[in-house]
Amino acid sequence: MIDVLVTGGAGFIGSNFVRHALAAHPDWRVTTLDKLTYAGRIETLSDVMDHPRHAFVRGDIADDVVATPLVQRSHIVVHFAAETHVDRSIASAGDFIRTDMIGTYVLLEAARNAPHLKRFVQISTDEVYGSVPEGASRETDEIKPRNPYSASKAGADRLAYSYFATYDVPVIVTRASNNYGPYQFPEKIIPLFVTNALDERPLPLYGDGLNVRDWLHVMDHCRAVDLLIERGVNGETYNIGGGNEIANIDLTHRILELTGRPSSLIQPVKDRPGHDRRYALDTSKARAHGWAPQVDFVDGLRETVEWYRANQAWWRPIKEQDAAFRAYYASQYGPARP
Ligand code: NAD
Ligand code: DAU
């Protein structure tokens, strides 16, 4: 059996990856290590909690007593755990430094002495390139992160590389574009706007709405990570993007159309400080290994809207009963409640 450690497996992408890994690899034994922060939910993994090849450990990646033995018994580590929301990093960066940078350092230190380790996947982000006014970022481009989240991820991204260059830890780094799909926490634009639209509440669009993101279906991301575990080259970095660039205002109109709501729900609000205008990725390196996104954005977005419509039991408790979420929403968007 191959022992696979997935950090952050109770979050959005990590949980989709755990499900994918168990289905695609009958010889993988998967351990999820997750602190269950506000963004991590045990309910997200409920269908695999009793799976015979899955174990769940609640713990902090920055706690070496918990994290080190888990890394050291693993053949593969897929490191998703992070603080991930840009707006929260702007409000308060401390948790981002502690988890994204120090937590990654703890895992990498453990990886230095892991006897069976064949692969350490550092899940990074296209945000490390900073805003890209034109063209598409290549892996060799300079990184210029511009907010505390992307700066902490850039630190972890290069720290992981340094453990390959210095200690020969079998690291690969992946930099993905904006993911969408089931189980995304309803603070990110797509789940926030879909759930607000379903409830006929305002959609708070930042600035002029012309910022551009490139959308990648979460399962296309999971398939890319899986393939790169197999075929990636140690020390290399791989961009993973969906090739679906769209301005936020156009995305918002599509969500309104799919939910059957009027454009009067759009509420222009103050822009995000340091708001990156555009991200775009050149994905030819990952494609040369045989990966390509499979989910069409029109279908993927429609299915995602349907998932949120059908799975209100997953997101309503967060938006309606979680006092911390409601406090966050009020501080971010003003007194109007979700
Ligand atoms: P998420 O916020 O949905 O989930 C993060 C998970 O990490 C949660 O389950 C949380 O409980 C856990 N976690 C946080 N701090 C922890 C700690 N100290 N110890 C253990 N667990 C901890 O995030 P996501 O959107 O699924 O992102 C996963 C990874 O992918 C992150 O590294 C993120 O930077 C990266 N990424 C995300 C996107 C995207 O669009 N969502 C795009 C590119 C890269
Ligand atoms: O690009 C990859 C990154 O994508 C990941 O590394 C991050 O973890 C992930 O959160 C995401 O970051 P973004 O900042 O791009 O995602 P977010 O959903 O917060 O915002 C997407 C766009 O929508 C951005 O231009 C800001 C805008 N926006 C967002 C929110 C939450 C709004 O206009 N209104 C909002 O309320």
Side-chain angles (χ1 to χ4, degrees):
M1 291 299 274
I2 296 175
D3 281 304
V4 181
L5 177 65
V6 179
T7 71
F12 165 45
I13 308 172
S15 63
N16 280 287
F17 184 80
V18 167
R19 235 173 256 113
H20 165 82
L22 290 168
H25 297 282
D27 58 338
W28 282 15
R29 207 159 38 199
V30 177
T31 300
T32 297
L33 170 62
D34 199 295
K35 187 179 174 182
L36 298 182
T37 67
Y38 79 91
R41 306 181 67 77
I42 205 73
E43 296 83 348
T44 300
L45 286 172
S46 53
D47 56 330
V48 290
M49 283 309 272
D50 295 328
H51 192 290
R53 287 183 289 108
H54 179 235
F56 178 81
V57 177
R58 184 174 189 175
D60 187 336
I61 57 164
D63 177 356
D64 67 325
V65 174
V66 179
T68 298
L70 294 176
V71 172
Q72 290 191 340
R73 69 171 203 210
S74 298
H75 299 92
I76 298 168
V77 174
V78 192
H79 175 31
F80 291 99
E83 290 291 338
T84 63
H85 192 38
V86 172
D87 293 323
R88 290 184 191 251
S89 83
I90 292 166
S92 174
D95 285 346
F96 290 74
I97 308 303
R98 209 183 60 80
T99 289
D100 301 9
M101 295 180 72
I102 298 174
T104 300
Y105 157 72
V106 169
L107 298 177
L108 288 165
E109 272 296 302
R112 278 177 67 178
N113 306 308
H116 320 294
L117 192 67
K118 297 274 180 290
R119 197 63 97 190
F120 185 109
V121 186
Q122 174 62 26
I123 303 290
S124 187
T125 166
D126 65 356
E127 293 211 13
V128 300
Y129 295 113
S131 200
V132 186
E134 56 194 28
S137 303
R138 302 190 60 158
E139 292 85 349
T140 45
D141 286 356
E142 190 183 347
I143 56 173
K144 295 183 193 161
R146 287 165 24 90
N147 61 62
Y149 161 69
S150 54
S152 69
K153 290 296 291 185
D157 173 318
R158 289 302 82 194
L159 190 67
Y161 173 76
S162 80
Y163 272 63
F164 162 75
T166 310
Y167 306 114
D168 220 14
V169 175
V171 168
I172 62 170
V173 176
T174 60
R175 295 178 181 155
S177 64
N178 283 63
N179 283 218
Y180 72 102
Y183 295 108
Q184 187 166 29
F185 195 78
E187 65 186 353
K188 308 284 170 72
I189 189 169
I190 289 182
L192 177 67
F193 282 17
V194 169
T195 57
N196 277 15
L198 290 174
D199 283 349
E200 298 183 63
R201 290 177 187 271
L203 313 187
L205 186 64
Y206 295 161
D208 60 10
L210 295 178
N211 299 65
V212 171
R213 296 293 183 267
D214 165 21
W215 291 97
L216 170 71
H217 193 274
V218 65
M219 290 316 299
D220 279 328
H221 188 183
C222 293
R223 283 187 281 266
V225 170
D226 189 353
L227 188 108
L228 291 167
I229 288 170
E230 185 68 29
R231 301 192 192 162
V233 175
N234 289 340
E236 294 293 321
T237 298
Y238 299 91
N239 288 342
I240 308 171
N244 298 302
E245 279 187 50
I246 184 169
N248 293 335
I249 180 72
D250 297 327
L251 172 68
T252 305
H253 281 295
R254 285 201 198 186
I255 290 171
L256 289 169
E257 212 170 292
L258 287 165
T259 50
R261 302 295 190 232
S263 49
S264 56
L265 281 184
I266 298 174
Q267 180 185 49
V269 297
K270 198 163 147 281
D271 207 357
R272 171 186 281 175
H275 194 174
D276 286 339
R277 195 63 165 169
R278 174 175 175 266
Y279 304 131
L281 290 175
D282 180 327
T283 57
S284 43
K285 193 170 167 184
R287 284 170 187 264
H289 284 284
W291 174 81
Q294 294 172 17
V295 182
D296 175 80
F297 187 54
V298 171
D299 297 339
L301 189 61
R302 190 185 58 245
E303 285 162 19
T304 300
V305 169
E306 288 318 310
W307 188 88
Y308 281 92
R309 204 196 292 279
N311 288 277
Q312 303 193 18
W314 183 80
W315 58 266
R316 282 206 182 278
I318 301 169
K319 290 189 80 177
E320 292 169 8
Q321 290 152 28
D322 185 334
F325 181 81
R326 292 173 73 84
Y328 161 75
Y329 199 94
S331 72
Q332 184 65 23
Y333 300 105
R337 290 294 167 94

